[in-house]
Amino acid sequence: MQGSRFAVSCVLLAGISVVPCRAASPDLESQFAQTVRPFLTTYCVACHGGAAPAAQLDLRQYTTLAAVVREYPRWNLVLEKLTAGQMPPKGLKQPSPELRQAVIDWVQAVRMEEARKNAGDPGPVLARRLSNSEYNYTIRDLTGVDMRPAREFPVDPANTAGFDNSGESLAMSPALLNKYLQAARAVGDHMVLTPDGFAFAPYPMLVETDREKYAIQRIVDFYQRQPTDYADYFEAAWRFKHRTELGKPDAQLASVAAEAKVSAKYLPMVWQVLEQPQDEVGPVARLQAMWRALPAPGADAAELRTRCVEMRDFVVKIRSHTAMQFAAPRVAGLPATSQPLMNWKLRQFNSHRRESDPKALRNDTDPPMEAPQIPKYPGLHQESAFRWAALMDKARAGDPDLVVPAAERARYEAAFARFASVFPDVFYVKERGRYFPDDSEDKGRLLSAGYHNVMGYWRDDTPLMELILDDAGQRRLNRLWDEFDFISDYTAHTWVQFYFNQSGEVQGKGAESGTFRPSDKAVSASPVIFELRDAYLAKAAPSNNPVAMEAIRYHFQWVNDTLRSVERMREEAEPKHVESLVKFAAKAWRRPLSAEERGEVIGYYHSLREKEGLTHEEAIRDSIVRVLMSPQFCYRVDLVEASAGNRQGSTAPLSEYALASRLSYFLWSSMPDDDLLARAAAGDLRRPEVLAAQARRMLKDERARGLAVEFGGNWLDFRRFEELNTVDRDRFPSFTNELREAMFEEPARFIENMIHNDLPVLDLLYADYTFVNPVLARHYGMPQPASGVWVRVDEAGKYGRGGVLPMAAFLTENAPGLRTSPVKRGYWVVRRVLGETIPPPPPTVPELPADEAQMNLPLREMLAKHRENTTCAACHARFDGLGLAFEGYGPIGERRNVDLAGHPVETQAVFPGGSKGDGFEGVRAYIREHREKDFVDNLSRKLLAYALGRSLMLSDEPLIETIKSMLAADDYRFTPLVEAIVASPQFRNKRSWAPVEESPPQQRGN
């Protein structure tokens, strides 16, 4: 389907080619002189001339055909007014129907002539800086972090088409350049060096605590992503057992694990425990009984989950009560919390997670166990194991599952051991306090070792490594811990703190005393480490405790080995960082670097090191700033193919990389990804079928939200709705920041859904669905979804919603705050949705009352009086009726039956042309019957202007007609609209040089 559709696109677009500019038709010149100019003089310039021309349109300036062509968008307005019979205004001298038609025909002929002779002209697409949004999105995709450094930039101005992605409006000032420098430095501050290159953190990485937080959070996030909930495994095993009844007779444990998102390595172990011979005793037998009691297929899914959770809770209880216990070895003269001794205890916990403590079991012949007295929390530097042992004894005393037949104790101990080997007491420890494993008083910090008054971290995840993670997962976790030390240097910091704040204990100076700094060596030097080791060994020798001696030897050797390993990693990483800098520049500049550019990037880094005396990290950081301040990053130039020549006025194909950038900034408002750049590198991106395939792929990507927000937001005027502050929150307390954010999200998600799923663009008008979260659903009176969830709501018409027209964002934005505004709402429909151009109101127009609650008459009647002014009537007739139909929605888009003054609300209205309708459904029916072509035409023009990054020209008219034909032929789906644009000569080519055509200032309504 897609291939045939694109083939049709190519056939239709084949007729659009760039034709050299030719002189205007002599007939048009003579008709202008003989008919049109006299017409203007007689019927128009009395109003549209002088010092203050009506609608800011001075028709005296058009003395030649060339002047008309140069500002043809204004003449589109002239054509519209003449065709509608609105000009000259009633009461003034009128031309004959024949003369009026002659001028109309002439304007249309000019349009056709100019469009024909320059069809396919790429037009003047100026080199420009990235827009604020493009800068933010590009930094996000370049660094992997959505840091939005352009949030402090001034608001970007829009071009005449209403978009802020055009060289017509995006200039660079000295003040803005300084903002760019600040933003680049802010991005550089987020850089973090890794063993293989560098990455970017969500916050600046300039101090030790930020480095630690970044590295720790990555490890904790990895832990929490792992499937360690036993209930998930029991449910997956149940699905495997009943695979035939569930319609999957060929399923394997691996496929079931993949579908359930659990470990394919661990699920077979769980399955074996559940299904092994039923002569088991102890916890295995109890678990198997629970397993066999699970409901059969066809039962309530919630019941199955509940029973699996009960199985999980049983496992967790047994393993918490049978976990191994350890205390630090004792050395006379050293506190129990001395690091070498405490680390031995922590290592024992690490290595015994999959073992069951035999002392946890009680014989059935033993007298009832009395709950022990729980001792107080230990004092500073005292062993916490004794309190924990009492807590464990108390828990075990109340657990009947730990009572075993005395005659079969050995058999039961073996059963508990088998149980523990599959079900560890924990898979990992992410927090550890001073009284570990007792966390009732102090849970500690993430990954903390639990030292007293000394910083330190400890890794405890052996069961996760052994049971859950595959080889790739194990390598990733090992790498995260290596990078933790590389990034934060935590082992070195812990050692230094230990040396200066605790190691004095070995000299008898107390547990919170240190050793003097060596005079000739670094504290972290190997001789210093081993000298202190020897002092600890000498201290421990009289205690005659081989465990303590081994603990001391292991600890100091481990510290030295770790410090030396980190030093080697840093030394080996520096060349990798420089190479990563080169790759970063190529990615940032969206193309490969030349040999000269590569040399400049590397040379700048070395100059910072050698001439400026910067550290390696500082030089990398400053080099990143230089890359981001380069015009190659900040600007879009879109160079033509080098072999095409640079003759002035010529048109040439864009280079492969320029085309990749143009496509990505059209569909994503951001830089090309690796797939797109690979096609550019292969040299086949300009092939029509490849370009179309890339466009289709990119529309499915989540980054296409950029198109929904930037194109849709600017076209329909909700882009800055998140900053709206016109609503009186005392009068409308429900209008919270959360509701405002949800109102913004609704049209963004609606358009995003249309883009991703290639839905008809007419859904924007006629869809009977919308998207809500709990906050917006409550505002709309819809059933509320789960907290934080966005859902599609079908049959939204029951709630007065569906499509974009009744969305609260547009109804709220086009209301002054304390009342509705049929004028603004109707004007938004005809201007933004249907594409009409309406002149601004005269400066003398009286304002309506600001507060609807204070009005003596309904707003409808006040507007009717306003329209009695003949100066206002003609324009207001074009949109007031469309706005009045939305009076069933209050100032913040809430449905209502009476206005704020208590007047009944009437939603029946007379629309332009005299047809009538009721409410927003009446507006939709009016558009469907009379104005659908205007909507399609407007959308086609707006998306083309956005894609090309310039205002449209007469030479674009044939393409627009082609686009509309393709839309109609393909059920108005969104993807063909994009395919037609990216396949066009205007999109794929560029003028080598051309004078900039002036465009009239955009006429804006109120």
Side-chain angles (χ1 to χ4, degrees):
M1 174 62 186
Q2 290 177 338
S4 61
R5 182 172 69 193
F6 187 72
V8 172
S9 304
C10 293
V11 171
L12 290 171
L13 291 165
I16 303 175
S17 57
V18 181
V19 180
C21 196
R22 296 179 297 185
S25 165
D27 290 343
L28 293 176
E29 291 275 13
S30 63
Q31 289 171 21
F32 178 78
Q34 297 169 13
T35 303
V36 178
R37 192 171 181 193
F39 181 94
L40 298 178
T41 302
T42 303
Y43 300 104
C44 304
V45 296
C47 294
H48 294 281
Q56 302 176 1
L57 176 61
D58 186 357
L59 293 175
R60 295 176 307 167
Q61 62 183 311
Y62 300 108
T63 58
T64 64
L65 172 60
V68 174
V69 170
R70 191 163 50 247
E71 296 195 357
Y72 189 83
R74 289 184 178 274
W75 279 78
N76 264 334
L77 181 60
V78 172
L79 176 63
E80 180 184 319
K81 297 293 186 182
L82 289 174
T83 303
Q86 297 173 348
M87 292 293 167
K90 290 184 174 69
L92 299 181
K93 182 179 180 180
Q94 298 291 318
S96 67
E98 293 78 14
L99 181 56
R100 178 190 297 272
Q101 190 60 45
V103 176
I104 290 173
D105 291 343
W106 181 86
V107 177
Q108 291 175 331
V110 169
R111 175 178 177 173
M112 293 177 62
E113 172 70 10
E114 290 300 314
R116 180 188 60 80
K117 72 182 184 180
N118 293 313
D121 181 6
V125 179
L126 306 176
R128 64 167 179 87
R129 64 174 173 84
L130 298 178
S131 71
N132 295 351
S133 297
E134 289 172 337
Y135 190 94
N136 281 336
Y137 292 136
T138 303
I139 290 294
R140 176 201 65 192
D141 294 340
L142 178 63
T143 65
V145 179
D146 189 12
M147 50 184 95
R148 304 186 185 186
R151 60 185 174 275
E152 300 297 331
F153 290 10
V155 175
D156 284 329
N159 66 1
T160 58
F163 300 111
D164 59 7
N165 66 341
S166 166
E168 301 162 38
S169 58
L170 293 177
M172 180 73 82
S173 66
L176 184 56
L177 184 63
N178 187 54
K179 293 281 189 183
Y180 268 71
L181 178 58
Q182 294 173 14
R185 286 174 174 165
V187 174
D189 287 346
H190 286 242
M191 186 274 296
V192 53
L193 297 175
T194 68
D196 296 322
F198 54 79
F200 292 85
Y203 35 78
M205 296 287 285
L206 302 179
V207 297
E208 178 182 314
T209 54
D210 288 329
R211 297 172 190 272
E212 289 180 357
K213 180 173 71 172
Y214 169 77
I216 289 170
Q217 196 59 55
R218 292 201 307 164
I219 294 172
V220 171
D221 287 346
F222 181 89
Y223 283 160
Q224 294 177 333
R225 288 196 303 269
Q226 305 314 309
T228 58
D229 188 337
Y230 294 130
D232 294 336
Y233 288 91
F234 298 143
E235 188 170 346
W238 180 90
R239 295 188 181 283
F240 177 69
K241 180 177 182 178
H242 298 289
R243 56 193 180 279
T244 300
E245 298 96 315
L246 296 174
K248 298 181 179 180
D250 298 327
Q252 302 295 317
L253 278 170
S255 63
V256 172
E259 185 176 351
K261 297 181 179 179
V262 297
S263 169
K265 176 181 176 181
Y266 187 50
L267 181 58
M269 301 182 198
V270 174
W271 170 257
Q272 186 176 7
V273 170
L274 297 174
E275 286 289 310
Q276 66 188 5
Q278 297 177 12
D279 59 351
E280 286 289 344
V281 295
V284 177
R286 172 77 181 277
L287 186 66
Q288 288 178 344
M290 298 173 75
W291 162 249
R292 291 190 295 273
L294 289 179
D300 182 22
E303 173 65 14
L304 172 64
R305 184 64 187 179
T306 298
R307 304 288 284 277
C308 289
V309 168
E310 291 174 355
M311 293 173 65
R312 176 197 66 196
D313 293 345
F314 169 75
V315 171
V316 171
K317 183 203 71 165
I318 292 295
R319 289 302 293 120
S320 66
H321 291 171
T322 59
M324 298 291 289
Q325 300 181 61
F326 299 96
R330 302 299 300 273
V331 171
L334 291 180
T337 56
S338 177
Q339 273 191 38
L341 307 179
M342 186 173 175
N343 285 357
W344 178 90
K345 179 174 74 170
L346 296 180
R347 282 195 301 276
Q348 302 314 303
F349 278 114
N350 284 21
S351 59
H352 292 79
R353 295 289 178 197
R354 296 174 62 190
E355 295 180 20
S356 177
D357 186 356
K359 297 190 295 295
L361 305 183
R362 302 191 311 278
N363 294 336
D364 57 357
T365 57
D366 293 342
M369 183 177 178
E370 295 184 6
Q373 185 73 27
I374 306 300
K376 295 181 179 179
Y377 284 99
L380 191 63
H381 305 298
Q382 293 181 350
E383 176 62 81
S384 61
F386 306 111
R387 173 180 165 83
W388 179 244
L391 289 170
M392 286 288 283
D393 285 345
K394 182 178 181 180
R396 291 169 174 177
D399 188 350
D401 289 314
L402 302 183
V403 178
V404 302
E408 297 183 89
R409 183 179 179 96
R411 183 183 179 198
Y412 274 81
E413 285 185 3
F416 273 88
R418 287 195 298 275
F419 189 82
S421 70
V422 176
F423 301 112
D425 55 356
V426 293
F427 281 102
Y428 57 84
V429 176
K430 68 182 181 72
E431 294 171 311
R432 187 181 283 101
R434 290 172 295 166
Y435 310 119
F436 178 82
D438 177 12
D439 63 357
S440 57
E441 177 71 16
D442 177 19
K443 291 186 179 298
R445 296 177 300 168
L446 292 175
L447 305 187
S448 169
Y451 300 148
H452 289 238
N453 299 331
V454 174
M455 181 205 74
Y457 299 96
W458 191 264
R459 178 178 180 180
D460 188 347
D461 54 28
T462 301
L464 185 71
M465 292 283 285
E466 293 177 347
L467 298 175
I468 302 291
L469 298 181
D470 58 15
D471 291 345
Q474 292 175 358
R475 288 193 297 271
R476 175 61 180 157
L477 183 54
N478 287 335
R479 191 62 175 176
L480 286 172
W481 275 96
D482 288 344
E483 290 180 356
F484 181 13
D485 220 345
F486 184 94
I487 292 167
S488 69
D489 218 11
Y490 76 85
T491 300
H493 293 319
T494 300
W495 167 256
V496 170
Q497 288 186 27
F498 168 75
Y499 189 89
F500 289 118
N501 298 328
Q502 194 179 60
S503 66
E505 64 189 10
V506 78
Q507 304 164 26
K509 295 190 296 184
E512 295 188 26
S513 62
T515 302
F516 291 116
R517 181 183 298 275
S519 60
D520 58 345
K521 297 180 183 67
V523 171
S524 59
S526 295
V528 175
I529 294 172
F530 292 134
E531 182 179 354
L532 192 57
R533 175 202 61 191
D534 293 341
Y536 270 83
L537 288 172
K539 184 77 171 179
S543 297
N544 195 27
N545 187 336
V547 172
M549 297 292 283
E550 179 56 30
I552 292 168
R553 291 190 189 93
Y554 184 94
H555 172 77
F556 287 96
Q557 188 65 52
W558 170 77
V559 169
N560 183 71
D561 291 348
T562 303
L563 294 180
R564 305 292 80 83
S565 174
V566 173
E567 287 174 356
R568 287 193 298 273
M569 276 198 296
R570 288 215 171 88
E571 183 178 350
E572 294 167 358
E574 288 197 5
K576 298 177 184 177
H577 296 156
V578 176
E579 186 58 33
S580 293
L581 185 62
V582 173
K583 294 177 181 178
F584 177 81
K587 187 175 181 181
W589 296 352
R590 305 178 282 279
R591 56 169 178 77
L593 303 188
S594 67
E596 181 180 1
E597 289 169 333
R598 176 185 174 88
E600 289 174 353
V601 170
I602 297 175
Y604 183 73
Y605 160 81
H606 285 298
S607 70
L608 292 174
R609 295 295 310 275
E610 297 161 9
K611 297 180 181 179
E612 303 297 329
L614 270 61
T615 65
H616 169 69
E617 182 171 345
E618 291 169 340
I620 293 292
R621 205 179 297 280
D622 277 14
S623 295
I624 289 173
V625 174
R626 179 182 182 272
V627 168
L628 297 181
M629 285 302 295
S630 167
Q632 307 292 342
F633 175 76
C634 296
Y635 275 78
R636 291 235 354 250
V637 180
D638 292 352
L639 298 175
V640 298
E641 184 64 32
S643 61
N646 292 307
R647 183 171 54 84
Q648 287 190 356
S650 66
T651 294
L654 289 171
S655 73
E656 296 275 354
Y657 289 102
L659 184 58
S661 283
R662 178 170 284 191
L663 185 62
S664 68
Y665 280 98
F666 169 30
L667 300 183
W668 292 344
S669 294
S670 185
M671 60 189 293
D673 66 352
D674 290 342
D675 284 351
L676 192 54
L677 290 174
R679 296 272 54 86
D684 61 5
L685 184 58
R686 288 199 298 260
R687 288 171 51 191
E689 66 276 14
V690 175
L691 187 61
Q694 285 295 309
R696 289 191 292 268
R697 174 186 70 84
M698 295 169 71
L699 290 173
K700 300 289 186 183
D701 191 280
E702 63 181 10
R703 284 166 287 191
R705 176 178 168 86
L707 181 61
V709 171
E710 302 307 324
F711 166 70
N714 283 291
W715 167 40
L716 295 176
D717 197 26
F718 68 89
R719 181 63 186 89
R720 309 196 72 80
F721 185 82
E722 293 167 297
E723 303 167 12
L724 182 79
N725 285 312
T726 58
V727 175
D728 187 326
R729 298 202 181 191
D730 290 333
R731 295 280 291 276
F732 298 98
S734 64
F735 189 78
T736 60
N737 288 346
E738 292 75 19
L739 179 58
R740 182 177 62 182
E741 172 69 20
M743 288 181 177
F744 167 82
E745 278 292 319
E746 183 185 14
R749 287 175 180 268
F750 190 99
I751 298 172
E752 186 179 4
N753 177 68
M754 179 186 71
I755 292 170
H756 286 326
N757 296 297
D758 189 23
L759 299 177
V761 298
L762 296 180
D763 278 9
L764 291 164
L765 299 175
Y766 309 137
D768 192 25
Y769 63 86
T770 191
F771 294 84
V772 298
N773 68 348
V775 175
L776 191 59
R778 184 165 57 250
H779 185 65
Y780 284 171
M782 297 175 174
Q784 296 181 38
S787 177
V789 174
W790 279 86
V791 298
R792 170 171 161 157
V793 176
D794 293 315
E795 298 182 343
K798 295 189 300 186
Y799 308 98
R801 310 293 167 176
V804 300
L805 295 177
M807 286 185 179
F810 306 121
L811 297 168
T812 304
E813 187 169 42
N814 293 294
L818 287 174
R819 64 171 172 85
T820 60
S821 176
V823 173
K824 289 187 175 182
R825 288 175 175 178
Y827 181 78
W828 176 81
V829 172
V830 299
R831 178 170 177 247
R832 294 287 182 172
V833 179
L834 303 179
E836 283 193 48
T837 302
I838 298 175
T844 56
V845 173
E847 289 286 339
L848 292 171
D851 190 346
E852 187 175 278
Q854 305 301 318
M855 293 182 181
N856 295 323
L857 294 174
L859 192 57
R860 172 185 293 269
E861 295 182 26
M862 301 187 75
L863 278 176
K865 290 182 176 294
H866 181 75
R867 288 195 300 273
E868 291 175 359
N869 185 335
T870 56
T871 306
C872 305
C875 285
H876 279 267
R878 299 168 64 183
F879 49 77
D880 275 8
L882 296 169
L884 286 167
F886 288 98
E887 277 296 275
Y889 302 92
I892 58 172
E894 76 281 13
R895 295 182 75 183
R896 64 180 189 171
N897 295 314
V898 295
D899 65 18
L900 297 181
H903 303 124
V905 167
E906 184 180 347
T907 58
Q908 291 186 341
V910 178
F911 302 137
S915 64
K916 297 180 180 180
D918 188 357
F920 102 91
E921 290 288 2
V923 174
R924 297 211 296 195
Y926 163 74
I927 294 175
R928 189 189 297 271
E929 185 173 353
H930 301 286
R931 305 295 297 275
E932 186 173 286
K933 290 183 178 179
D934 293 338
F935 167 77
V936 173
D937 180 79
N938 183 44
L939 171 59
S940 302
R941 292 176 183 278
K942 290 297 185 181
L943 190 60
L944 179 60
Y946 178 82
L948 299 180
R950 62 165 171 80
S951 297
L952 298 186
M953 308 185 304
L954 283 175
S955 56
D956 297 318
E957 292 298 321
L959 175 57
I960 292 168
E961 294 304 315
T962 299
I963 290 172
K964 292 190 291 187
S965 296
M966 292 176 62
L967 272 172
D970 211 336
D971 198 25
Y972 293 97
R973 295 190 177 277
F974 186 78
T975 300
L977 174 59
V978 171
E979 289 181 354
I981 290 172
V982 302
S984 69
Q986 286 96 318
F987 190 85
R988 293 182 290 107
N989 299 313
K990 183 180 181 180
R991 284 186 191 174
S992 293
W993 177 88
V996 178
E997 298 185 12
E998 296 182 0
S999 298
Q1002 186 178 14
Q1003 296 180 339
R1004 300 180 182 272
N1006 293 336

